[in-house]
Amino acid sequence: MAGEGQETCYEGTCVKNFNFYLKHTEQDKLISRDLHKVLQEQLKRVGANKSSLDVLGVGSGGGEKDVQILSLLQSLFPSTPITTDIVDGSSELINNFKALVAKTDTLQRIPFTWHVMRSEDFELQVKASRDVKKFDFIHMIHVIYYMEDVDETLRFYHSLLKNNGRIMIVLNAAGHGWDSLWTTYKKELQTSEFPVYNSSALVKTSLENQGFTYEEHIIPTSFDITECFNPNSTTGESLLSFMTATRHFQQSFTPEIRAGILDHLRNKCSTEQDGKILFDKTYTCFFVHA
């Protein structure tokens, strides 16, 4: 818990770095073509023969991907009523999401319930309630990395699924760029604010140990980190700060650690193409069945 007057990871510089990352990597706002095909088939199964559809987004941020998911669901089931609950700890990002909804005409028909809180607090709130809402589709996109108890988190959200429901979990693929960085520099990157890092390998092990039925899809993608190797670049500094979950990369590590991270990013996590350094952001998508 942050002290009085101290920023948390849901506000201030952290949110600024996250928004900068989204702006710099425009494609990361979008659901890729490969994932779109898989998601469409999953939603067809989820919505078949349903009189209504209830969706839960966990860690939705500014809602860029939520809007795409909901728009796809509307196109597949145009006459089926949809409700949406959103859980996110950042009031700033929730406000961005609300603004995006206001600009998207087709979403005006969907009632939203906003839960401005961490996933862990939402879990406590639900467990204390006698009237528990269940969902047809739950998505957790790049959010499970820092949850302290993966087994309990997956067990809890699985318990919220309706018959034939699905949980979509998206996170960086084991052994690829982001996972390689955080696994190699685990000691330096895990802080009191981010005390754990959960890889897709850990999530897969948890799903298997709990006997959940799931499908796994690997989605290759990359983004340009060339500016990260220019010490005078504010773009590079913002990207590095986001990638290492720090407020200011240059101020957060010793010169030796900074040099090691940059070397790892360039030689272990990236490829060079047309003069650009492209970071391997391959990710894993799990669809967990009810």
Side-chain angles (χ1 to χ4, degrees):
M1 184 69 66
E4 186 176 355
Q6 181 181 351
E7 287 183 4
T8 72
C9 62
Y10 298 106
E11 60 190 1
T13 308
C14 290
V15 172
K16 181 180 177 181
N17 288 336
F18 174 65
N19 286 330
F20 181 87
Y21 165 76
L22 286 181
K23 184 177 180 180
H24 179 77
T25 60
E26 284 293 327
Q27 79 276 12
D28 207 57
K29 291 184 179 180
L30 306 176
I31 291 176
S32 70
R33 184 186 307 171
D34 291 339
L35 181 55
H36 185 279
K37 292 178 183 177
V38 176
L39 176 60
Q40 181 170 271
E41 291 306 312
Q42 293 289 336
L43 292 179
K44 285 180 180 178
R45 297 172 196 170
V46 167
N49 303 314
K50 295 283 183 71
S51 59
S52 64
L53 290 166
D54 298 305
V55 177
L56 171 63
V58 182
S60 293
E64 292 85 1
K65 291 187 174 68
D66 297 65
V67 167
Q68 296 169 70
I69 291 169
L70 293 170
S71 296
L72 177 56
L73 200 55
Q74 285 181 315
S75 70
L76 293 171
F77 304 100
S79 60
T80 303
I82 299 171
T83 73
T84 300
D85 284 61
I86 301 297
V87 177
D88 198 280
S90 170
S91 57
E92 182 177 341
L93 291 176
I94 286 285
N95 288 336
N96 291 347
F97 194 160
K98 290 179 179 179
L100 187 57
V101 170
K103 294 189 295 185
T104 310
D105 292 340
T106 56
L107 298 187
Q108 304 307 310
R109 303 194 303 271
I110 297 178
F112 283 80
T113 302
W114 307 95
H115 307 272
V116 186
M117 62 184 69
R118 302 180 312 148
S119 169
E120 293 88 346
D121 295 327
F122 176 72
E123 182 177 340
L124 291 173
Q125 183 183 82
V126 170
K127 287 179 176 178
S129 174
R130 293 184 179 181
D131 184 20
V132 177
K133 183 177 181 180
K134 298 295 183 81
F135 298 91
D136 299 285
F137 189 70
I138 300 171
H139 56 84
M140 308 173 72
I141 300 175
H142 295 302
V143 71
I144 207 168
Y145 303 111
Y146 312 119
M147 293 183 177
E148 294 185 10
D149 190 337
V150 171
D151 290 343
E152 181 55 34
T153 296
L154 293 175
R155 189 158 46 244
F156 166 68
Y157 284 108
H158 190 266
S159 74
L160 298 185
L161 285 176
K162 293 183 184 179
N163 182 46
N164 200 42
R166 296 286 191 278
I167 304 174
M168 181 174 78
I169 302 169
V170 176
L171 70 169
N172 298 313
H176 290 267
W178 226 298
D179 184 73
S180 174
L181 172 65
W182 274 75
T183 300
T184 303
Y185 284 91
K186 181 176 181 178
K187 178 181 176 182
E188 291 79 11
L189 297 180
Q190 290 184 198
T191 63
S192 58
E193 196 167 290
F194 298 104
V196 295
Y197 168 73
N198 301 313
S199 68
S200 61
L202 181 66
V203 171
K204 184 174 182 177
T205 297
S206 179
L207 293 172
E208 292 179 348
N209 288 344
Q210 297 190 69
F212 294 147
T213 301
Y214 69 90
E215 300 167 45
E216 180 181 9
H217 302 270
I218 305 297
I219 312 295
T221 185
S222 63
F223 69 92
D224 184 2
I225 63 168
T226 308
E227 287 295 310
C228 291
F229 301 95
N230 177 356
N232 299 316
S233 171
T234 55
T235 294
E237 169 70 9
S238 295
L239 286 176
L240 286 166
S241 298
F242 175 73
M243 294 168 74
T244 56
T246 56
R247 290 180 174 81
H248 304 286
F249 174 75
Q250 295 291 340
Q251 300 173 19
S252 299
F253 305 104
T254 65
E256 292 77 17
I257 295 300
R258 291 200 305 269
I261 288 174
L262 289 170
D263 180 74
H264 191 85
L265 286 174
R266 184 160 197 160
N267 296 307
K268 302 293 184 182
C269 303
S270 306
T271 57
E272 293 195 33
Q273 182 178 327
D274 299 328
K276 296 181 180 179
I277 302 171
L278 302 179
F279 181 75
D280 175 10
K281 197 188 176 299
T282 297
Y283 57 90
T284 299
C285 181
F286 297 104
F287 286 97
V288 187
H289 298 212

